[in-house]
Amino acid sequence: MPGHHTGQLGTFLTGSESFSDFVGVTAPHLMPGAGIGSAGATGPHPANAAESLGVPHGTTIVALTFAGGVVIAGDRRATSGNVIAQRDIEKVFVTDNHSAVGIAGSAGIALEMVRLFSVDLENYEKLEGVPLTLDGKANRLAGMVRQNLGAAMQGFVVVPLFAGYDTAISDPAQAGRIVTYDPTGGRYDENLGFHAVGSGSVFAKSSLKKLYDPAADLDGAVRTALEALYDAADDDTATGGPDTVRRIYPVVVGITADGAVRRSDDDVAAVVEQVVAGRTERPGGPRR
């Protein structure tokens, strides 16, 4: 009967708007990382299970705020040990109108987590008629990371980087937000205005520390993000630099009051050309 819910589904929908909670209750085997790290049907796993299985890992993601919002960007390389598993993997995703997530760690689980997170946000908005608050989105993602703790303890670690525009804040210069996580699901607001995760994060953050300008416009922030990824690729073998031969460029998403928009490959390529030209003259990178 339309409008009438029965059984477990009806009981669940009266208690929570979270689609991920619904999946966890009704079909836990469909959750990201389900069965990994437990001695159930899948059997026990050694501590180095991720390495022994050759699971591809995503690497470096950067995010920084600017005068009109926030930019998040990621390289395109996935590695398996010392081998390049994929050259053009996508690790940055628009998750709703005003947020995006970049993922580092076990690629398969991370991709499932981001897809489920996007559906969760869409489901909430359909049920409630309004989008989830930015803090609510960040907390939902923290819960998903926490649910993966068993798998993380076996080496299947997923570390997302969340970026969003808080529409409840009137000043665009303050509305861009960056939230980081640890493998246990702990969430942390990044107040310096920039952050990076993944194997090349140390080099990317060093670059961002020198180049970050909170008063920059969107184009300036995109250039800084690509400079940081270039520096990460220069020193970290797991981070892929721009591949102009194959036309493989970083994924870049800008989030402003107008929404979250992925930059086209042509737009990114034009900025990459400027970065490469600058490095030809000054290999160490620009100075702010």
Side-chain angles (χ1 to χ4, degrees), residues 18-55:
S18 172
F19 182 77
S20 59
D21 286 349
F22 170 63
V23 174
V25 170
T26 60
H29 62 285
L30 297 179
M31 293 296 290
I36 297 176
S38 61
T42 58
H45 294 275
N48 64 344
E51 181 179 348
S52 63
L53 290 174
V55 174

Side-chain angles (χ1 to χ4, degrees), residues 44-224:
H45 294 275
N48 64 344
E51 181 179 348
S52 63
L53 290 174
V55 174
H57 276 67
T59 48
T60 310
I61 308 294
V62 302
L64 65 155
T65 59
F66 64 98
V70 62
V71 165
I72 183 169
D75 79 302
R76 304 289 295 276
R77 179 175 292 176
T79 59
S80 178
N82 66 328
V83 176
I84 297 176
Q86 188 172 344
R87 298 180 186 275
D88 60 351
I89 190 173
E90 297 194 3
K91 295 175 282 187
V92 176
F93 303 91
V94 173
T95 47
D96 76 351
N97 289 338
H98 289 94
S99 70
V101 173
I103 52 97
S106 298
I109 297 175
L111 293 173
E112 288 185 4
M113 187 178 294
V114 171
R115 293 187 186 109
L116 182 58
F117 178 60
S118 299
V119 173
D120 206 358
L121 298 185
E122 182 180 359
N123 181 70
Y124 179 93
E125 187 169 353
K126 286 180 177 179
L127 290 177
E128 296 298 312
V130 294
L132 197 59
T133 65
L134 192 69
D135 281 325
K137 297 172 190 177
N139 288 336
R140 285 281 172 88
L141 186 56
M144 291 183 181
V145 176
R146 189 175 303 113
Q147 289 174 331
N148 190 57
L149 180 58
M153 294 177 68
Q154 301 298 328
F156 300 92
V157 179
V158 174
V159 183
L161 185 60
F162 176 80
Y165 186 94
D166 193 342
T167 56
I169 296 177
S170 57
D171 182 4
Q174 304 297 320
R177 297 265 302 277
I178 301 169
V179 181
T180 63
Y181 301 87
D182 65 34
T184 68
R187 56 153 290 189
Y188 312 95
D189 289 287
E190 181 49 61
N191 297 317
L192 292 178
F194 60 87
H195 198 74
V197 297
S199 63
S201 61
V202 173
F203 310 109
K205 280 193 284 188
S206 294
S207 180
L208 290 170
K209 184 187 297 185
K210 297 181 177 70
L211 300 177
Y212 173 66
D213 179 8
D217 59 11
L218 175 58
D219 289 340
V222 170
R223 173 68 182 264
T224 299

Side-chain angles (χ1 to χ4, degrees), residues 250-264:
V251 175
V252 182
V253 174
I255 312 172
T256 66
D258 295 328
V261 178
R262 173 173 169 166
R263 307 279 287 206
S264 70

